[in-house]
């Protein structure tokens, strides 16, 4: 009989600590190791829910070196969960290299449903169509940013942006897309959550 390896992708709250699911808490309590983007950030969640599971770091700077170790542990019967600092792993977070290798090694991946900034944000945005393009983090170079806005000028474009760059990005959107309506969201699920939809000029 083929041995079952247990690897879980576990979403964590994007802000409000109460948004974690019961299943996520159960999995995090019962795995042997939690691979974290930042162990200090994850520890805050674990402490809040009295979860004592061991944590290891797994982030974009060490993911290549950690893959073999994690796969060997899984093959030896260790149950492992992957979390990011907030939201659902693999959505603008580390994990792609690991997932690719898990599939190569025929290791089953169980993904839990849970918090993710994109659908949380979009559920508050009036749209004429369900179609949208998620571009991850907005490009830092003007040329790539202009290419992105031009290539998707006729569709809903969703991306992450730094508050420090927001005004410049809005000016670029106005240049490329004219009178487009824009929605900006910040501090989602937190005390000072704000989502505003208006013309790019007004924003």
């Amino acid at each position: 009989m083929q041995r079952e390896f247990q690897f879980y992708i576990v979403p964590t709250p994007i802000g409000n600590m109460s948004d974690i699911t019961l299943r996520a808490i159960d999995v995090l309590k019962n795995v042997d190791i939690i691979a974290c983007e930042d162990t200090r950030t994850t520890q805050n969640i674990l402490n809040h829910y009295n979860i004592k599971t061991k944590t290891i770091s797994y982030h974009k700077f060490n993911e290549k070196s950690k893959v073999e170790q994690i796969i060997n542990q899984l093959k030896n019967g260790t149950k492992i969960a992957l979390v990011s600092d907030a939201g659902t792993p693999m959505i603008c977070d580390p994990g792609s290299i690991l997932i690719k290798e898990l599939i190569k090694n025929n290791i089953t991946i169980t993904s839990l449903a849970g918090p993710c900034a994109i659908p949380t944000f979009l559920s508050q945005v009036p749209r004429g169509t369900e179609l949208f393009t998620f571009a991850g983090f907005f490009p830092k170079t003007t040329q790539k940013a202009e290419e992105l806005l031009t290539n998707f000028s006729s569709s809903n474009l969703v991306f992450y942006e730094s508050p420090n760059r927001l005004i410049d990005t809005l000016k670029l959107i106005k240049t490329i897309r004219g009178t487009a309506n824009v929605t900006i969201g910040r501090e989602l699920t937190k005390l000072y959550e704000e989502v505003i939809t208006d013309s790019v000029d007004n924003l």
Side-chain angles (χ1 to χ4, degrees), residues 113-152:
C116 182
I118 305 307
T120 302
F121 171 69
L122 284 175
S123 67
Q124 301 181 59
V125 179
R127 308 185 309 282
T129 173
E130 293 298 331
L131 296 176
F132 68 91
T133 298
F134 175 55
F137 292 99
F138 197 68
K140 291 184 178 180
T141 66
T142 302
Q143 181 182 348
K144 289 187 177 180
E146 288 177 346
E147 288 176 1
L148 178 66
L149 291 170
T150 301
N151 290 340
F152 296 97

Side-chain angles (χ1 to χ4, degrees), residues 2 11 15 22 30 34-35 44 46-47 86 116 123 126 138 148 183 185 187:
Q2 186 176 6
L22 295 175
N30 288 290
I34 302 170
N44 292 330
L46 302 185
N47 291 343
C116 182
S123 67
F138 197 68
L148 178 66
T183 301
E187 298 290 300

Side-chain angles (χ1 to χ4, degrees), residues 94-133:
S96 181
I97 294 172
L98 176 58
I99 300 303
K100 190 179 294 184
E101 291 303 315
L102 292 174
I103 292 170
K104 280 184 185 177
N105 283 270
N106 295 315
I107 294 174
T108 300
I109 302 163
T110 300
S111 294
L112 277 62
C116 182
I118 305 307
T120 302
F121 171 69
L122 284 175
S123 67
Q124 301 181 59
V125 179
R127 308 185 309 282
T129 173
E130 293 298 331
L131 296 176
F132 68 91
T133 298

Side-chain angles (χ1 to χ4, degrees), residues 44-56:
N44 292 330
I45 298 170
L46 302 185
N47 291 343
H48 187 82
Y49 288 100
N50 196 31
I51 298 170
K52 307 296 184 183
T53 308
K54 175 184 175 182
T55 61
I56 61 170

Side-chain angles (χ1 to χ4, degrees), residues 6-23:
Q6 297 188 3
F7 182 84
Y8 301 88
I9 296 175
V10 182
T12 54
I14 61 174
N16 191 314
M17 200 72 82
S18 298
D19 284 338
I20 197 166
T21 67
L22 295 175
R23 187 182 180 200

